[in-house]
C-alpha cells in the first residue's frame, strides 16, 4: 500500500468508519472523523458542540465554517504529519477547497479518494439496524432520510471533484467487511 493521505467518501451507512478503522490499524496513521469529533463536542457541551447539535440531530450538515475549523485544527496536529484517513470530511465542495488550501499550506496533497458505493435501500436498512444497536440520536428514520438527501445534494458532487483531480478510486461497498477492505486496499495500491 502506498497512499497514506486518504479520504474515504460515501453516503451515511456505506461503511466509511469501519474501513477507516481497518486502514489506520494497518497504516499507523490517525483516523480523522469530523462526525466523531462533533459528537464528542456535543457530549462535552463545548461552544462548537452547542452550535452543531441541532443540525446533527436533524440529519443536516453542520455549517462549513464550523466543520472546517474543527478539521483544520485536527489536521495541523503533529500525528497527522505522516498521513491520515479522513472519514466524513470534506462533505461539501467548499470544505474540499478548504482542505486543498490547508494541505497546500502544510506542503502535502491528498493522494487518494476512495468512494464507497452502496445503493440507497441497503443504506437505509443498515442505518436502521445501527439505530437499534448504537442508539445514535440521528439514526431515526426522518433524520436518516435527511442525511441521504444532504449527501445527494451536497456531498455527491465531490465524486466528480476528486475524479477531476485524478485521485478517485470507486469501490463496491456491498459484501463482507473483509471483502470491502480488500477492495479498498487494492484501490490504494
Ligand atoms: P457522521 O458520523 O460522519 O455520519 O456525521 C454525523 C453528523 O455530523 C452528520 O450528519 C453531520 O450533521 C455532522 N457532520 C460530520 N461531518 C461533517 C462535515 N464534514 N460537514 C458537515 N457536517 C458534518
Amino acid at each position: 500500500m502506498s497512499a497514506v493521505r486518504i479520504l474515504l467518501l460515501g453516503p451515511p451507512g456505506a461503511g466509511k468508519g469501519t474501513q477507516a478503522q481497518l486502514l489506520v490499524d494497518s497504516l499507523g496513521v490517525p483516523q480523522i472523523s469530523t462526525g466523531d469529533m462533533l459528537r464528542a463536542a456535543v457530549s462535552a457541551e463545548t461552544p462548537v458542540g452547542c452550535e452543531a447539535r441541532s443540525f446533527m440531530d436533524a440529519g443536516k450538515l453542520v455549517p462549513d465554517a464550523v466543520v472546517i475549523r474543527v478539521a483544520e485544527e485536527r489536521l495541523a496536529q503533529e500525528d497527522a504529519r505522516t498521513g491520515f484517513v479522513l472519514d466524513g470530511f470534506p462533505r461539501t465542495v467548499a470544505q474540499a477547497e478548504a482542505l486543498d488550501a490547508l494541505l497546500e499550506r502544510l506542503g502535502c496533497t491528498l493522494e487518494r479518494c476512495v468512494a464507497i458505493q452502496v445503493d440507497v435501500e441497503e443504506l437505509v436498512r443498515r442505518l436502521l439496524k445501527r439505530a437499534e444497536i448504537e442508539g445514535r440520536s440521528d439514526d431515526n428514520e426522518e433524520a436518516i432520510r435527511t442525511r441521504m438527501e444532504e449527501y445527494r445534494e451536497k456531498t455527491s458532487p465531490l465524486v466528480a471533484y476528486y475524479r477531476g483531480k485524478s485521485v478517485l478510486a470507486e469501490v463496491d461497498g456491498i459484501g463482507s467487511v473483509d471483502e470491502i477492505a480488500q477492495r479498498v486496499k487494492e484501490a490504494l495500491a
Side-chain angles (χ1 to χ4, degrees):
M1 235 186 268
S2 56
V4 288
R5 292 186 180 85
I6 300 160
L7 159 63
L8 293 185
L9 186 65
K16 298 185 297 294
T18 304
Q19 294 301 325
Q21 191 57 57
L22 293 172
L23 279 178
V24 302
D25 290 346
S26 65
L27 295 175
V29 296
Q31 173 184 6
I32 298 185
S33 159
T34 42
D36 286 348
M37 286 189 278
L38 290 169
R39 274 186 290 280
V42 169
S43 295
E45 298 181 1
T46 66
V48 164
C50 295
E51 212 174 333
R53 177 179 215 138
S54 59
F55 293 97
M56 294 175 76
D57 282 348
K60 291 204 158 280
L61 291 187
V62 173
D64 284 337
V66 177
V67 181
I68 289 169
R69 206 169 59 231
V70 167
E72 282 186 346
E73 276 173 21
R74 181 64 189 89
L75 279 161
Q77 285 171 21
E78 188 64 33
D79 66 340
R81 286 262 174 98
T82 48
F84 47 77
V85 178
L86 286 172
D87 156 21
F89 177 88
R91 260 171 150 108
T92 64
V93 171
Q95 292 178 20
E97 288 170 351
L99 174 65
D100 284 345
L102 173 69
L103 294 181
E104 198 178 329
R105 288 201 296 280
L106 295 172
C108 59
T109 55
L110 190 74
E111 290 155 337
R112 193 75 95 231
C113 167
V114 180
I116 305 178
Q117 298 161 322
V118 180
D119 65 58
V120 173
E121 272 166 40
E122 169 70 10
L123 292 170
V124 174
R125 199 184 60 73
R126 286 186 191 179
L127 289 171
L128 288 172
K129 194 168 157 203
R130 187 170 78 184
E132 276 172 32
I133 299 166
E134 293 179 19
R136 259 175 62 162
S137 59
D138 59 351
D139 271 347
N140 61 74
E141 203 161 345
E142 199 183 334
I144 288 172
R145 212 170 294 128
T146 306
R147 280 154 69 206
M148 291 299 172
E149 192 48 34
E150 289 280 82
Y151 176 81
R152 195 186 61 73
E153 196 183 310
K154 297 173 183 162
T155 309
S156 66
L158 293 183
V159 172
Y161 182 90
Y162 287 110
R163 188 180 291 123
K165 290 184 175 289
S166 305
V167 293
L168 183 75
E170 291 174 280
V171 160
D172 178 2
I174 302 276
S176 69
V177 168
D178 288 347
E179 280 164 352
I180 299 160
Q182 184 57 33
R183 290 175 205 149
V184 171
K185 198 171 163 187
E186 283 162 16
L188 295 174

